[in-house]
Amino acid sequence: CNCGCCGGCPSPFPPTAAGYYAVLSASGPATLADGGTLPFAIVQGGGDGFAPCAGGVQALKDGTYFVTWTLNAPPLSQADTVLGLRLNGARLGESEAAVQLNGAGGAACFGGQTVVSAAAGSCLSLVSNGTASFPQSAAGAPLAGMTIVRVSP
């Protein structure tokens, strides 16, 4: 390697920017029971820092992460729940938002965020703490999104 470092180059060199963040998206329709998760898929980033896990994203490296989520509930959605992030199944209360929709209203948006320390192998997921039913958006827009950024090792 010709990087000018002593003792060889770190692997990978340079680190891939995609390994520091992941953008996830979940499409509708979705019906959630208490404890249900949205079907997220990584749509951007990920690299060597993230992988899919049940209902969310797995951090592949120890670190501190900034995580934000949004829900774009289409018209006619029904919900009596609190949505929030969980780390390995443990609720992260600071990320939670009450979602109360009666099935007769228009579109509505909800969101939350947190900063959390996670060990390699930890799974972050967006979980419903109640019931919800979200129809397919007429415009085909994603139902929900999540972004996770590793801010320090």
Side-chain angles (χ1 to χ4, degrees), residues 42-115:
I42 297 174
V43 295
Q44 188 176 19
D48 61 354
F50 302 94
C53 65
V57 62
Q58 182 181 41
L60 299 178
K61 299 181 180 185
D62 294 345
T64 301
Y65 294 87
F66 173 72
V67 189
T68 183
W69 65 268
T70 56
L71 172 75
N72 304 305
L76 308 179
S77 294
Q78 294 179 319
D80 184 14
T81 189
V82 173
L83 286 175
L85 296 168
R86 290 190 186 182
L87 177 65
N88 299 324
R91 287 174 78 163
L92 302 175
E94 65 278 7
S95 72
E96 295 182 340
V99 180
Q100 305 293 317
L101 300 166
N102 66 9
C109 295
F110 302 88
Q113 63 187 18
T114 191
V115 175

Side-chain angles (χ1 to χ4, degrees), residues 10-20 48 61 150:
S11 178
F13 185 83
T16 60
Y20 288 95
D48 61 354
K61 299 181 180 185
R150 184 163 53 103

Side-chain angles (χ1 to χ4, degrees), residues 24-55:
L24 294 88
S25 181
S27 298
T31 299
L32 302 175
D34 188 21
T37 60
L38 289 166
F40 278 107
I42 297 174
V43 295
Q44 188 176 19
D48 61 354
F50 302 94
C53 65

